Amino acid sequence: MSIDSRLDRAIAGKPQALADAIAATHLLIHSAVLLEQGMADVLAPLNLQLREYLALYMLADSVHESVTPSNLSESLKATRTQVTRLLDSMEAKGLVVRLAAKQDRRSLALSLTPAGAALLEQAAPLVAQVHLNAWAPLTETGTHALHSQLRQLYDGLQRSHATLYKKYRLAPVSRATNSQK
């Protein structure tokens, strides 16, 4: 059964506004999966996972401030346990090192190794090409307009989640707590 036929069944009989919202959400999720798969495909020959690439990119971009495992966890939407495993793997590959932070020796600062920087230099153009290919069906103007709309969607979802937590007096669930369950 095709994605389109499943979507058609999901929105059948729904008011137009709801049908459009469901269809847009469905297509957004499936597009994200395809983008992620495209990036994974170009990174695989380099023996690099997408999260590893994103971590390398974040570390390379941290010239003015150090990156901690907590920063990485927040940026990657990963638990502390997942980030620890990721860093263990990356450290074993010689891509990153963990050092005691200068400001607080109880904290760790992450640093890119020369091998990590070299691998990022190889991977970045491949991932950039996936980005460009993905958005090629839209004009440059269309891509810019969609970027603005996606920003509005993201900001609205952030506000909506905060409102729900406040309205129902929910405590935000700690990712660390979730991973320990």
Side-chain angles (χ1 to χ4, degrees):
M1 181 179 303
S2 76
I3 290 173
D4 289 333
S5 64
R6 282 194 302 263
L7 179 57
D8 289 344
R9 283 200 336 270
I11 63 176
K14 305 269 190 300
Q16 190 62 50
L18 179 57
D20 287 343
I22 291 170
T25 300
H26 185 83
L27 291 170
L28 184 62
I29 290 168
H30 284 279
S31 295
V33 168
L34 290 172
L35 274 166
E36 196 170 318
Q37 186 59 54
M39 289 179 205
D41 290 347
V42 299
L43 294 171
L46 299 175
N47 192 30
L48 191 60
Q49 301 294 314
L50 181 56
R51 277 197 171 168
E52 291 173 324
Y53 169 78
L54 294 171
L56 291 174
Y57 192 85
M58 187 175 168
L59 290 170
D61 193 43
S62 66
V63 178
H64 302 293
E65 60 182 302
S66 64
V67 174
T68 66
S70 293
N71 299 138
L72 207 52
S73 176
E74 187 177 316
S75 292
L76 296 178
K77 305 294 186 216
T79 65
R80 286 189 286 203
T81 301
Q82 290 169 326
V83 168
T84 298
R85 288 184 185 135
L86 175 70
L87 292 173
D88 288 346
S89 170
M90 294 177 74
E91 208 166 28
K93 290 179 179 181
L95 305 175
V96 299
V97 291
R98 293 179 255 205
L99 307 165
K102 292 177 184 173
Q103 300 85 355
D104 181 356
R105 297 193 56 79
R106 296 170 295 171
S107 186
L108 292 175
L110 304 172
S111 182
L112 206 55
T113 64
L119 186 57
L120 179 61
E121 194 172 310
Q122 281 182 282
L126 302 173
V127 172
Q129 194 59 53
V130 171
H131 287 292
L132 292 171
N133 290 346
W135 297 100
L138 302 179
T139 63
E140 197 172 312
T141 304
T143 301
H144 182 74
L146 185 55
H147 169 240
S148 296
Q149 291 171 333
L150 288 171
R151 170 51 68 187
Q152 289 173 334
L153 175 65
Y154 180 82
D155 291 345
L157 287 169
Q158 292 274 59
R159 285 190 303 277
S160 173
H161 284 205
T163 301
L164 284 175
Y165 283 119
K166 187 175 180 181
K167 180 177 180 179
Y168 296 105
R169 294 189 174 102
L170 299 173
V173 178
S174 164
R175 289 190 171 278
T177 303
N178 274 350
S179 68
Q180 296 168 354
K181 290 184 180 178

